[in-house]
Amino acid sequence: MNTLQIDSVLLNEAEQLAKLHNVDLSQMVESFIRRYVEQMGKGNEPAKVTPFVKQLGVDLDLPADFDEKEAYRNYLEEKYR
């Protein structure tokens, strides 16, 4: 058995989320670590996803260098031409 040290507040929040979604906390942690290792092994930085987008459950396949502020600025420029 392996041991990890995790901030107690973060651990409590993770336990509550796991319970809410009927997921085993150990499986959830293993899944996150597996995805992180796979991303880093490919030379990619883990994608930065806002909680709102996570809630949607949609994978947008955005490039790693996607700048949402610039995209929104471009959208507004087009909209108000």
Side-chain angles (χ1 to χ4, degrees):
M1 177 170 226
N2 298 316
T3 302
L4 295 173
Q5 292 187 6
I6 300 173
D7 177 74
S8 60
V9 173
L10 178 62
L11 180 60
N12 187 34
E13 290 176 8
E15 287 172 336
Q16 289 175 6
L17 278 173
K19 187 175 184 178
L20 179 68
H21 295 284
N22 291 328
V23 176
D24 180 70
L25 182 62
S26 294
Q27 290 174 336
M28 185 174 81
V29 170
E30 184 176 338
S31 175
F32 281 118
I33 293 171
R34 180 171 284 113
R35 284 190 211 142
Y36 182 82
V37 168
E38 287 172 358
Q39 286 290 318
M40 296 306 287
K42 295 177 184 175
N44 299 330
E45 285 189 34
K48 295 175 184 167
V49 179
T50 65
F52 176 73
V53 173
K54 285 181 187 176
Q55 175 187 353
L56 294 174
V58 177
D59 186 6
L60 299 176
D61 290 325
L62 296 175
D65 61 349
F66 180 75
D67 184 352
E68 62 273 0
K69 289 182 182 179
E70 181 181 348
Y72 185 62
R73 205 173 308 117
N74 292 340
Y75 164 76
L76 290 176
E77 287 177 4
E78 286 294 317
K79 180 179 178 179
Y80 293 105
R81 278 189 180 188

Coordinates of all heavy atoms in Angstrom, one line a residue:
M1 N 0.8 -1.2 0.0 CA 0.0 0.0 0.0 C 0.9 1.2 0.0 O 1.9 1.3 0.7 CB -0.9 0.0 1.2 CG -1.8 1.2 1.4 SD -3.0 1.0 2.6 CE -4.4 1.6 1.8
N2 N 0.5 2.2 -0.8 CA 1.2 3.5 -0.9 C 0.5 4.6 -0.1 O -0.7 4.5 0.2 CB 1.3 4.0 -2.3 CG 2.1 2.9 -3.2 OD1 3.1 2.4 -2.8 ND2 1.5 2.7 -4.4
T3 N 1.3 5.6 0.3 CA 0.8 6.6 1.1 C 1.1 8.0 0.5 O 2.2 8.2 0.0 CB 1.4 6.7 2.5 OG1 1.2 5.4 3.2 CG2 0.8 7.8 3.4
L4 N 0.1 8.8 0.4 CA 0.2 10.2 -0.1 C -0.2 11.2 1.0 O -1.1 10.9 1.8 CB -0.7 10.4 -1.3 CG -0.5 9.6 -2.6 CD1 -1.6 9.8 -3.6 CD2 0.9 10.0 -3.2
Q5 N 0.4 12.3 1.0 CA 0.1 13.3 1.9 C -0.7 14.4 1.1 O -0.2 15.0 0.2 CB 1.3 13.9 2.6 CG 1.9 13.0 3.6 CD 3.0 13.6 4.4 OE1 3.2 14.8 4.3 NE2 3.7 12.8 5.1
I6 N -2.0 14.6 1.5 CA -2.8 15.6 0.8 C -3.4 16.5 1.9 O -3.8 16.1 3.0 CB -4.0 14.8 0.1 CG1 -3.4 13.9 -0.9 CG2 -4.9 15.8 -0.6 CD1 -4.4 13.0 -1.6
D7 N -3.5 17.8 1.5 CA -4.1 18.8 2.4 C -5.5 18.3 2.9 O -6.3 17.8 2.1 CB -4.3 20.1 1.6 CG -5.0 21.2 2.4 OD1 -4.4 21.7 3.3 OD2 -6.2 21.4 2.1
S8 N -5.7 18.4 4.1 CA -6.9 17.8 4.7 C -8.2 18.4 4.2 O -9.2 17.7 4.0 CB -6.9 17.9 6.2 OG -6.8 19.2 6.7
V9 N -8.2 19.7 3.9 CA -9.4 20.4 3.4 C -9.7 19.9 1.9 O -10.8 19.5 1.6 CB -9.2 21.9 3.3 CG1 -10.4 22.6 2.6 CG2 -9.1 22.5 4.8
L10 N -8.6 19.8 1.1 CA -8.7 19.3 -0.2 C -9.2 17.8 -0.2 O -10.1 17.4 -1.0 CB -7.4 19.4 -1.0 CG -7.4 18.8 -2.4 CD1 -8.3 19.6 -3.3 CD2 -6.0 18.9 -2.9
L11 N -8.7 17.0 0.7 CA -9.1 15.6 0.8 C -10.6 15.5 1.2 O -11.3 14.7 0.6 CB -8.2 14.9 1.8 CG -8.5 13.4 2.0 CD1 -8.4 12.6 0.8 CD2 -7.7 12.9 3.1
N12 N -11.0 16.3 2.1 CA -12.4 16.3 2.5 C -13.3 16.7 1.3 O -14.3 16.1 1.1 CB -12.6 17.3 3.7 CG -14.0 17.2 4.2 OD1 -14.6 16.2 4.2 ND2 -14.5 18.4 4.7
E13 N -12.9 17.7 0.5 CA -13.7 18.1 -0.6 C -13.7 17.0 -1.7 O -14.8 16.7 -2.2 CB -13.1 19.4 -1.3 CG -13.4 20.6 -0.4 CD -12.7 21.8 -1.0 OE1 -12.2 21.8 -2.1 OE2 -12.7 22.9 -0.3
A14 N -12.6 16.3 -1.9 CA -12.5 15.2 -2.8 C -13.4 14.1 -2.4 O -14.1 13.4 -3.2 CB -11.1 14.8 -3.0
E15 N -13.4 13.8 -1.1 CA -14.2 12.7 -0.6 C -15.7 13.0 -0.8 O -16.5 12.1 -1.1 CB -13.9 12.5 0.9 CG -12.6 11.8 1.2 CD -12.2 11.8 2.7 OE1 -12.7 12.6 3.4 OE2 -11.4 10.9 3.0
Q16 N -16.1 14.3 -0.5 CA -17.5 14.6 -0.7 C -17.9 14.5 -2.2 O -19.0 14.0 -2.5 CB -17.7 16.1 -0.2 CG -17.6 16.2 1.3 CD -17.7 17.6 1.8 OE1 -18.0 18.5 1.0 NE2 -17.5 17.8 3.1
L17 N -17.0 15.0 -3.1 CA -17.3 14.9 -4.5 C -17.4 13.4 -4.9 O -18.3 13.0 -5.7 CB -16.3 15.6 -5.3 CG -16.5 17.1 -5.5 CD1 -15.3 17.7 -6.2 CD2 -17.7 17.4 -6.2
A18 N -16.5 12.6 -4.5 CA -16.5 11.2 -4.8 C -17.8 10.5 -4.4 O -18.5 9.8 -5.1 CB -15.3 10.5 -4.3
K19 N -18.2 10.8 -3.1 CA -19.4 10.3 -2.6 C -20.6 10.8 -3.3 O -21.6 10.0 -3.7 CB -19.5 10.7 -1.1 CG -20.7 10.0 -0.4 CD -20.6 10.3 1.1 CE -21.7 9.6 1.8 NZ -21.7 9.9 3.3
L20 N -20.7 12.0 -3.7 CA -21.8 12.6 -4.4 C -22.0 11.9 -5.8 O -23.1 11.7 -6.2 CB -21.5 14.1 -4.7 CG -22.6 14.9 -5.4 CD1 -23.9 15.0 -4.6 CD2 -22.1 16.3 -5.8
H21 N -20.9 11.5 -6.4 CA -20.9 10.9 -7.8 C -20.8 9.4 -7.7 O -20.6 8.8 -8.7 CB -19.8 11.5 -8.7 CG -20.1 13.0 -8.9 ND1 -21.0 13.4 -9.8 CD2 -19.5 14.1 -8.4 CE1 -21.0 14.8 -9.9 NE2 -20.1 15.2 -9.0
N22 N -20.9 8.8 -6.5 CA -20.8 7.4 -6.3 C -19.5 6.8 -7.0 O -19.5 5.8 -7.7 CB -22.0 6.7 -6.9 CG -23.2 6.9 -6.1 OD1 -23.1 7.1 -4.8 ND2 -24.4 7.0 -6.7
V23 N -18.4 7.5 -6.7 CA -17.1 7.0 -7.2 C -16.2 6.7 -6.0 O -16.2 7.5 -5.0 CB -16.5 8.2 -8.1 CG1 -15.1 7.8 -8.6 CG2 -17.4 8.5 -9.2
D24 N -15.4 5.7 -6.2 CA -14.4 5.4 -5.2 C -13.3 6.4 -5.2 O -12.7 6.7 -6.3 CB -13.9 3.9 -5.4 CG -12.8 3.6 -4.4 OD1 -13.2 3.3 -3.2 OD2 -11.6 3.5 -4.8
L25 N -12.9 7.0 -4.1 CA -11.9 8.0 -4.0 C -10.6 7.5 -4.6 O -9.9 8.3 -5.3 CB -11.8 8.6 -2.6 CG -10.8 9.7 -2.4 CD1 -11.2 10.9 -3.3 CD2 -10.7 10.1 -1.0
S26 N -10.2 6.3 -4.2 CA -8.9 5.8 -4.7 C -8.9 5.7 -6.3 O -7.9 6.0 -6.9 CB -8.6 4.4 -4.1 OG -8.4 4.5 -2.8
Q27 N -10.0 5.3 -6.8 CA -10.1 5.2 -8.3 C -10.1 6.6 -8.9 O -9.5 6.8 -10.0 CB -11.4 4.5 -8.7 CG -11.4 3.0 -8.4 CD -12.8 2.4 -8.7 OE1 -13.8 3.0 -8.7 NE2 -12.8 1.1 -8.9
M28 N -10.8 7.5 -8.3 CA -10.8 8.9 -8.8 C -9.3 9.5 -8.8 O -8.9 10.0 -9.8 CB -11.7 9.8 -7.9 CG -11.8 11.2 -8.4 SD -13.1 12.1 -7.5 CE -12.1 12.7 -6.1
V29 N -8.6 9.3 -7.7 CA -7.2 9.8 -7.6 C -6.4 9.1 -8.7 O -5.6 9.7 -9.4 CB -6.7 9.6 -6.2 CG1 -5.2 9.9 -6.2 CG2 -7.4 10.5 -5.2
E30 N -6.5 7.8 -8.8 CA -5.7 7.0 -9.8 C -6.0 7.5 -11.2 O -5.1 7.7 -12.0 CB -6.0 5.6 -9.6 CG -5.1 4.7 -10.6 CD -5.3 3.2 -10.4 OE1 -5.8 2.8 -9.3 OE2 -5.0 2.5 -11.3
S31 N -7.2 7.8 -11.5 CA -7.6 8.3 -12.8 C -7.0 9.6 -13.1 O -6.5 9.9 -14.2 CB -9.2 8.4 -12.9 OG -9.6 8.9 -14.1
F32 N -7.0 10.5 -12.1 CA -6.4 11.9 -12.3 C -4.9 11.7 -12.5 O -4.4 12.4 -13.4 CB -6.7 12.8 -11.1 CG -8.1 13.4 -11.1 CD1 -8.9 13.1 -10.1 CD2 -8.5 14.2 -12.1 CE1 -10.2 13.7 -10.1 CE2 -9.7 14.8 -12.1 CZ -10.6 14.5 -11.1
I33 N -4.3 10.9 -11.7 CA -2.8 10.7 -11.9 C -2.5 10.1 -13.2 O -1.6 10.5 -13.9 CB -2.3 9.9 -10.7 CG1 -2.4 10.6 -9.4 CG2 -0.8 9.5 -11.0 CD1 -2.0 9.8 -8.2
R34 N -3.3 9.1 -13.7 CA -3.1 8.5 -15.0 C -3.2 9.5 -16.1 O -2.3 9.5 -17.0 CB -4.1 7.3 -15.2 CG -3.9 6.6 -16.5 CD -4.7 5.4 -16.6 NE -4.1 4.3 -15.8 CZ -4.6 3.7 -14.8 NH1 -5.7 4.1 -14.3 NH2 -3.9 2.8 -14.1
R35 N -4.2 10.3 -16.1 CA -4.4 11.3 -17.1 C -3.2 12.3 -17.1 O -2.7 12.7 -18.2 CB -5.7 12.1 -16.9 CG -6.9 11.3 -17.4 CD -8.1 12.1 -17.4 NE -9.3 11.3 -17.1 CZ -10.3 11.6 -16.3 NH1 -10.4 12.8 -15.8 NH2 -11.3 10.8 -16.1
Y36 N -2.8 12.7 -15.9 CA -1.7 13.7 -15.8 C -0.4 13.1 -16.4 O 0.3 13.7 -17.2 CB -1.5 14.1 -14.4 CG -0.4 15.1 -14.2 CD1 -0.6 16.4 -14.4 CD2 0.9 14.7 -13.8 CE1 0.3 17.4 -14.2 CE2 1.9 15.6 -13.6 CZ 1.6 16.9 -13.8 OH 2.6 17.9 -13.6
V37 N -0.1 11.9 -16.0 CA 1.1 11.2 -16.5 C 1.0 11.0 -18.0 O 2.0 11.3 -18.7 CB 1.3 9.8 -15.8 CG1 2.3 9.0 -16.5 CG2 1.6 10.0 -14.3
E38 N -0.1 10.7 -18.6 CA -0.3 10.5 -20.0 C 0.0 11.8 -20.7 O 0.6 11.9 -21.7 CB -1.7 10.0 -20.4 CG -1.8 8.5 -20.0 CD -3.3 8.0 -20.2 OE1 -4.1 8.8 -20.5 OE2 -3.5 6.8 -20.0
Q39 N -0.6 12.9 -20.2 CA -0.5 14.2 -20.8 C 1.0 14.7 -20.7 O 1.5 15.2 -21.7 CB -1.3 15.3 -20.1 CG -2.8 15.2 -20.4 CD -3.1 15.6 -21.8 OE1 -2.6 16.6 -22.3 NE2 -4.0 14.8 -22.4
M40 N 1.6 14.5 -19.6 CA 3.0 14.9 -19.5 C 4.0 14.1 -20.3 O 5.0 14.5 -20.8 CB 3.4 14.9 -18.0 CG 2.7 15.9 -17.1 SD 2.7 17.6 -17.7 CE 4.4 18.1 -17.3
G41 N 3.6 12.8 -20.4 CA 4.4 11.9 -21.3 C 4.4 12.3 -22.7 O 5.3 12.0 -23.5
K42 N 3.4 12.9 -23.2 CA 3.2 13.4 -24.5 C 3.9 14.8 -24.7 O 3.8 15.3 -25.8 CB 1.8 13.4 -25.0 CG 1.1 12.1 -25.0 CD -0.4 12.3 -25.3 CE -1.1 10.9 -25.3 NZ -2.5 11.1 -25.5
G43 N 4.4 15.3 -23.6 CA 5.0 16.6 -23.7 C 4.0 17.8 -23.6 O 4.3 18.9 -23.9
N44 N 2.8 17.5 -23.3 CA 1.7 18.5 -23.2 C 1.6 18.9 -21.8 O 1.8 18.1 -20.8 CB 0.4 17.9 -23.7 CG 0.4 17.5 -25.1 OD1 1.2 18.0 -25.9 ND2 -0.4 16.5 -25.4
E45 N 1.2 20.2 -21.6 CA 0.8 20.6 -20.3 C -0.6 20.2 -20.1 O -1.4 20.1 -21.0 CB 0.9 22.1 -20.2 CG 2.2 22.7 -20.1 CD 2.2 24.2 -19.8 OE1 1.3 24.6 -19.1 OE2 3.1 24.9 -20.3
P46 N -1.0 19.9 -18.9 CA -2.4 19.5 -18.6 C -3.3 20.7 -19.0 O -2.9 21.9 -18.8 CB -2.5 19.3 -17.1 CG -1.1 19.0 -16.7 CD -0.2 19.8 -17.7
A47 N -4.4 20.4 -19.6 CA -5.3 21.5 -20.0 C -5.9 22.2 -18.8 O -6.2 21.6 -17.8 CB -6.5 20.9 -20.9
K48 N -6.1 23.5 -19.0 CA -6.7 24.3 -17.9 C -8.1 24.4 -18.3 O -8.5 25.0 -19.3 CB -6.0 25.7 -17.8 CG -4.6 25.6 -17.4 CD -3.9 26.9 -17.5 CE -2.4 26.7 -17.2 NZ -1.6 27.8 -17.4
V49 N -9.0 23.8 -17.4 CA -10.4 23.8 -17.7 C -11.1 24.5 -16.5 O -10.8 24.1 -15.3 CB -10.9 22.4 -17.9 CG1 -12.4 22.3 -18.1 CG2 -10.2 21.7 -19.0
T50 N -12.0 25.4 -16.8 CA -12.7 26.0 -15.7 C -13.8 25.1 -15.1 O -14.2 24.2 -15.8 CB -13.5 27.3 -16.2 OG1 -14.5 26.9 -17.1 CG2 -12.5 28.3 -16.8
P51 N -14.2 25.3 -13.8 CA -15.2 24.4 -13.3 C -16.5 24.4 -14.1 O -17.2 23.4 -14.2 CB -15.4 25.0 -11.9 CG -14.1 25.7 -11.6 CD -13.6 26.2 -12.9
F52 N -16.8 25.6 -14.7 CA -18.1 25.6 -15.5 C -18.0 24.7 -16.7 O -18.9 23.9 -16.9 CB -18.3 27.0 -16.0 CG -19.5 27.1 -16.8 CD1 -20.8 27.0 -16.3 CD2 -19.4 27.3 -18.2 CE1 -21.9 27.1 -17.2 CE2 -20.5 27.4 -19.0 CZ -21.7 27.3 -18.5
V53 N -16.9 24.6 -17.3 CA -16.7 23.8 -18.5 C -16.7 22.3 -18.0 O -17.3 21.5 -18.7 CB -15.4 24.1 -19.3 CG1 -15.2 23.1 -20.4 CG2 -15.5 25.5 -19.9
K54 N -16.1 22.0 -16.9 CA -16.1 20.7 -16.4 C -17.5 20.2 -16.1 O -17.9 19.1 -16.4 CB -15.3 20.6 -15.1 CG -13.8 20.6 -15.3 CD -13.1 20.5 -13.9 CE -11.6 20.7 -14.1 NZ -10.9 20.7 -12.8
Q55 N -18.3 21.1 -15.6 CA -19.7 20.8 -15.3 C -20.5 20.5 -16.6 O -21.4 19.6 -16.5 CB -20.3 22.1 -14.6 CG -21.8 21.9 -14.3 CD -22.4 23.2 -13.8 OE1 -21.7 24.2 -13.6 NE2 -23.7 23.3 -13.7
L56 N -20.1 21.1 -17.7 CA -20.8 20.8 -18.9 C -20.5 19.4 -19.4 O -21.3 18.8 -20.1 CB -20.4 21.8 -20.0 CG -20.8 23.2 -19.8 CD1 -20.2 24.1 -20.9 CD2 -22.3 23.4 -19.8
G57 N -19.4 18.9 -19.1 CA -19.0 17.5 -19.5 C -18.7 17.4 -21.0 O -18.9 16.3 -21.6
V58 N -18.3 18.5 -21.6 CA -18.0 18.5 -23.0 C -16.5 18.7 -23.2 O -15.9 19.6 -22.7 CB -18.8 19.6 -23.7 CG1 -18.4 19.7 -25.2 CG2 -20.3 19.4 -23.5
D59 N -15.9 17.9 -24.0 CA -14.5 18.0 -24.4 C -14.4 18.8 -25.6 O -14.8 18.4 -26.7 CB -13.8 16.7 -24.5 CG -12.3 16.8 -24.7 OD1 -11.8 17.9 -24.6 OD2 -11.7 15.8 -25.0
L60 N -13.8 20.0 -25.5 CA -13.8 20.9 -26.7 C -12.6 20.7 -27.6 O -12.5 21.3 -28.6 CB -13.8 22.4 -26.2 CG -15.1 22.8 -25.4 CD1 -14.9 24.2 -24.9 CD2 -16.3 22.6 -26.2
D61 N -11.6 19.9 -27.2 CA -10.4 19.7 -27.9 C -9.7 21.0 -28.3 O -9.3 21.2 -29.5 CB -10.7 18.8 -29.2 CG -11.0 17.4 -28.8 OD1 -10.4 16.9 -27.8 OD2 -11.9 16.8 -29.5
L62 N -9.6 21.9 -27.4 CA -8.9 23.2 -27.7 C -7.4 23.0 -27.7 O -6.9 22.2 -26.9 CB -9.3 24.2 -26.7 CG -10.7 24.6 -26.6 CD1 -11.0 25.6 -25.5 CD2 -11.2 25.3 -27.9
P63 N -6.7 23.7 -28.5 CA -5.2 23.6 -28.5 C -4.6 24.1 -27.2 O -5.3 24.9 -26.5 CB -4.8 24.5 -29.7 CG -5.9 25.3 -30.0 CD -7.1 24.6 -29.5
A64 N -3.5 23.6 -26.8 CA -2.9 23.9 -25.6 C -2.6 25.4 -25.5 O -2.6 26.0 -24.4 CB -1.6 23.1 -25.4
D65 N -2.3 26.1 -26.6 CA -2.0 27.5 -26.5 C -3.2 28.4 -26.8 O -3.1 29.6 -27.1 CB -0.9 27.9 -27.5 CG -1.3 27.5 -29.0 OD1 -2.3 26.9 -29.2 OD2 -0.6 28.0 -29.9
F66 N -4.4 27.8 -26.7 CA -5.7 28.6 -26.9 C -5.8 29.7 -25.9 O -5.7 29.5 -24.7 CB -6.9 27.7 -26.8 CG -8.2 28.4 -27.0 CD1 -8.6 28.7 -28.3 CD2 -9.0 28.7 -26.0 CE1 -9.8 29.4 -28.6 CE2 -10.2 29.4 -26.2 CZ -10.6 29.7 -27.5
D67 N -6.0 30.9 -26.4 CA -6.2 32.1 -25.5 C -7.7 32.5 -25.5 O -8.1 33.1 -26.5 CB -5.3 33.2 -26.0 CG -5.3 34.5 -25.1 OD1 -6.1 34.5 -24.2 OD2 -4.5 35.4 -25.3
E68 N -8.4 32.2 -24.5 CA -9.8 32.5 -24.5 C -10.1 33.9 -24.5 O -11.1 34.4 -25.0 CB -10.5 31.7 -23.3 CG -10.0 32.2 -21.9 CD -8.8 31.4 -21.4 OE1 -8.3 30.5 -22.1 OE2 -8.4 31.7 -20.3
K69 N -9.3 34.8 -23.9 CA -9.5 36.2 -23.9 C -9.4 36.8 -25.3 O -10.2 37.6 -25.7 CB -8.5 36.9 -22.9 CG -8.8 36.6 -21.4 CD -7.9 37.4 -20.5 CE -8.2 37.0 -19.1 NZ -7.3 37.7 -18.2
E70 N -8.4 36.3 -26.0 CA -8.2 36.8 -27.4 C -9.4 36.3 -28.2 O -9.9 37.0 -29.1 CB -6.9 36.2 -28.0 CG -6.7 36.7 -29.4 CD -5.4 36.2 -30.0 OE1 -4.5 35.6 -29.2 OE2 -5.2 36.3 -31.2
A71 N -9.8 35.1 -28.1 CA -10.9 34.5 -28.8 C -12.2 35.3 -28.5 O -13.0 35.7 -29.5 CB -11.2 33.1 -28.5
Y72 N -12.4 35.7 -27.3 CA -13.6 36.5 -26.9 C -13.5 37.9 -27.5 O -14.5 38.4 -28.0 CB -13.8 36.5 -25.4 CG -15.0 37.2 -25.0 CD1 -16.3 36.8 -25.3 CD2 -15.0 38.4 -24.2 CE1 -17.4 37.4 -24.9 CE2 -16.1 39.1 -23.8 CZ -17.4 38.5 -24.2 OH -18.5 39.2 -23.8
R73 N -12.3 38.5 -27.5 CA -12.1 39.8 -28.1 C -12.4 39.8 -29.6 O -13.1 40.6 -30.1 CB -10.6 40.2 -27.8 CG -10.4 41.7 -27.8 CD -9.0 42.1 -27.4 NE -8.5 41.5 -26.2 CZ -7.5 40.6 -26.0 NH1 -6.8 40.3 -27.1 NH2 -7.2 40.1 -24.9
N74 N -11.9 38.7 -30.3 CA -12.2 38.6 -31.7 C -13.7 38.4 -32.0 O -14.2 39.0 -32.9 CB -11.4 37.4 -32.3 CG -9.9 37.6 -32.3 OD1 -9.4 38.7 -32.2 ND2 -9.2 36.5 -32.3
Y75 N -14.3 37.6 -31.1 CA -15.8 37.5 -31.3 C -16.5 38.8 -31.1 O -17.4 39.1 -32.0 CB -16.3 36.5 -30.2 CG -17.7 36.5 -30.0 CD1 -18.6 35.9 -30.9 CD2 -18.3 37.2 -28.9 CE1 -20.0 36.0 -30.7 CE2 -19.7 37.2 -28.7 CZ -20.5 36.6 -29.7 OH -21.9 36.7 -29.5
L76 N -16.1 39.6 -30.1 CA -16.8 40.9 -30.0 C -16.5 41.8 -31.1 O -17.4 42.6 -31.5 CB -16.4 41.5 -28.6 CG -16.9 40.8 -27.4 CD1 -16.3 41.5 -26.1 CD2 -18.4 40.8 -27.3
E77 N -15.3 41.8 -31.6 CA -15.0 42.7 -32.8 C -15.8 42.3 -34.0 O -16.3 43.2 -34.7 CB -13.5 42.5 -33.1 CG -12.6 43.2 -32.2 CD -11.1 43.0 -32.5 OE1 -10.8 42.4 -33.5 OE2 -10.3 43.5 -31.7
E78 N -16.0 41.0 -34.2 CA -16.8 40.6 -35.3 C -18.3 40.9 -35.1 O -19.0 41.4 -36.0 CB -16.7 39.1 -35.5 CG -15.4 38.6 -36.2 CD -15.2 39.1 -37.6 OE1 -16.2 39.1 -38.4 OE2 -14.1 39.6 -37.9
K79 N -18.7 40.8 -33.9 CA -20.1 41.0 -33.6 C -20.5 42.5 -33.8 O -21.6 42.8 -34.2 CB -20.4 40.6 -32.1 CG -21.8 40.8 -31.7 CD -22.0 40.4 -30.2 CE -23.5 40.6 -29.8 NZ -23.7 40.2 -28.4
Y80 N -19.6 43.4 -33.4 CA -20.0 44.8 -33.4 C -19.4 45.5 -34.6 O -19.3 46.7 -34.6 CB -19.6 45.5 -32.1 CG -20.4 45.0 -30.9 CD1 -19.9 44.1 -30.0 CD2 -21.7 45.3 -30.8 CE1 -20.6 43.6 -29.0 CE2 -22.5 44.9 -29.8 CZ -21.9 44.0 -28.9 OH -22.7 43.6 -27.8
R81 N -19.1 44.9 -35.7 CA -18.7 45.5 -36.9 C -19.8 46.1 -37.7 O -20.9 45.7 -37.7 CB -18.0 44.5 -37.8 CG -16.6 44.3 -37.4 CD -15.8 43.6 -38.4 NE -14.5 43.4 -37.9 CZ -13.5 42.9 -38.6 NH1 -13.6 42.5 -39.8 NH2 -12.3 42.9 -38.1

